[in-house]
Amino acid sequence: MYDLIIIGAGPAGLSAAVYAARYLMNTLVIGELQGGLASEAVEVCNFLTYDKIKGFELAKKMADHVRSLNIEIKPENVKKISKKNDVFEVELDSDKLQAKKIILATGTKRRKLGLENEHKFAGKGVSYCATCDAAFFKDKVVGVVGGSNSALTAALLLARFAKKVYIIYRQDKFFRAEPAWVKQVEETKNIESVFNSNVVEFLGENRLTGIELDTKKTLDMDGLFIEIGADPNTELAKQLDVKLEKDYIIVDKDQKTNIPGVFAAGDVCNNVMKQIIVAAGEGAIAAKSAFDELKKGD
């Protein structure tokens, strides 16, 4: 029986674990991806104490901090979660666990284009992680789909390896990205922005060789990186009947959900800013709220 089980090992979950350790709660973190999607960030330039750090480096530092406090991070998948008599039962692939309180820090999953053959070309030219795969495209031609910070930073990373990088974006300008990233993209000679365009077809047989746009234009390329945002992982929240708003978990100022004993933090919540530092702050609040309830005997 744990005082607290934190589901999700991204910045929200790991920050919650640090605070849970300070409150001397018997705590377990469960998460398959250490650092969550933050671990795949090309560069993080807005997290205090680091003017620039790779996402996987920041994720490792966070996880190492948690482990230094003798809190286990179990790299497993949660299959099912239920509540019986104020006790939560968490079913893993290998075990069943119990907890008095739960923090859902399940984050988001990368959105796909949903085109025919997308699955076929995954790992064969189509990628969802520039940090992971950029080096495989040295002196190649690649594309990035999207217009957010993640798309532009992916393009900048790829430009260090590829001879040519296209950014395909459905709008007529980059209005969602930070101006600093837009400026860098505009000043990088081997990046070309293709506005007012959507990818409608993947071209190739065994590997991707190009794409077709809805403008009828085709672009030859060796790789395409999909950076069109993410959707919240709310499957477990739904199992507990946690209320959602546009698929995101509704929380109050204490990170409480509508289900007693269930808290949520990070990108899975209906907050206004999906950032590492915001997720970390929400994780800290969620841990404090869980501790306060345990202390009162709620």
Side-chain angles (χ1 to χ4, degrees):
M1 171 69 74
Y2 289 90
D3 290 328
L4 174 66
I5 288 181
I6 301 165
I7 303 175
L14 296 177
S15 175
V18 170
Y19 280 82
R22 300 296 298 173
Y23 299 129
L24 302 181
M25 288 190 282
N26 180 21
T27 302
L28 174 69
V29 179
I30 305 171
E32 291 184 288
L33 181 59
Q34 177 179 287
L37 288 186
S39 65
E40 298 177 356
V42 176
E43 286 181 347
V44 178
C45 303
N46 52 5
F47 193 81
L48 285 171
T49 75
Y50 297 106
D51 57 356
K52 184 185 297 185
I53 186 171
K54 291 180 173 59
F56 74 87
E57 291 180 0
L58 182 59
K60 184 178 184 302
K61 288 178 180 291
M62 290 179 173
D64 287 346
H65 188 177
V66 170
R67 291 191 181 98
S68 75
L69 299 170
N70 297 316
I71 290 182
E72 181 185 1
I73 303 173
K74 191 180 284 287
E76 290 197 43
N77 174 56
V78 176
K79 294 171 59 177
K80 185 179 178 181
I81 184 169
S82 59
K83 185 180 183 182
K84 296 179 182 177
N85 300 323
D86 294 328
V87 173
F88 295 94
E89 293 190 356
V90 179
E91 182 178 338
L92 310 179
D93 290 328
S94 63
D95 202 359
K96 288 185 178 180
L97 308 170
Q98 292 185 323
K100 298 173 185 175
K101 305 293 177 184
I102 294 287
I103 294 177
L104 297 174
T106 46
T108 57
K109 55 193 172 189
R110 291 191 178 276
R111 196 172 292 156
K112 295 178 170 56
L113 287 176
L115 297 177
E116 186 179 357
N117 291 330
E118 185 166 0
H119 178 74
K120 171 186 172 181
F121 287 116
K124 298 177 181 179
V126 172
S127 175
Y128 303 89
C129 178
T131 305
C132 311
D133 298 335
F136 296 122
F137 292 90
K138 185 174 175 60
D139 298 325
K140 304 285 188 181
V141 177
V142 299
V144 177
V145 182
S148 63
N149 288 337
S150 61
L152 270 60
T153 54
L156 289 165
L157 173 63
L158 288 161
R160 301 178 195 171
F161 297 91
K163 64 181 178 182
K164 176 77 173 183
V165 181
Y166 293 102
I167 303 182
I168 300 101
Y169 189 41
R170 57 190 177 130
Q171 305 288 348
D172 59 358
K173 62 180 179 180
F174 299 121
F175 70 93
R176 291 177 57 204
E178 293 177 10
W181 292 126
V182 176
K183 185 172 185 289
Q184 278 190 246
V185 163
E186 292 173 345
E187 293 175 349
T188 303
K189 293 183 179 179
N190 61 333
I191 296 179
E192 179 181 337
S193 299
V194 182
F195 294 114
N196 297 311
S197 300
N198 292 283
V199 178
V200 294
E201 187 177 352
F202 298 120
L203 306 176
E205 292 294 331
N206 298 318
R207 286 192 59 84
L208 184 77
T209 59
I211 58 171
E212 182 177 335
L213 305 178
D214 57 359
T215 59
K216 303 302 181 182
K217 183 177 182 179
T218 60
L219 297 173
D220 295 332
M221 61 181 60
D222 305 285
L224 184 69
F225 290 78
I226 314 299
E227 292 285 354
I228 56 172
D231 295 313
N233 286 313
T234 53
E235 291 84 359
L236 297 176
K238 291 174 182 176
Q239 290 179 17
L240 290 167
D241 292 325
V242 170
K243 286 185 178 179
L244 307 177
E245 177 184 63
K246 295 181 179 178
D247 288 332
Y248 289 88
I249 296 175
I250 299 172
V251 292
D252 66 9
K253 63 183 178 62
D254 298 314
Q255 302 303 130
K256 295 180 181 180
T257 70
N258 62 299
I259 303 299
V262 179
F263 305 84
D267 286 3
V268 74
C269 297
N270 63 334
N271 54 33
V272 296
M273 197 174 187
K274 310 300 183 188
Q275 293 285 298
I276 293 172
I277 197 164
V278 174
E282 290 183 352
I285 294 169
K288 172 66 161 57
S289 298
F291 172 69
D292 287 344
E293 285 196 358
L294 284 170
K295 188 169 61 173
K296 291 189 297 184
D298 292 346

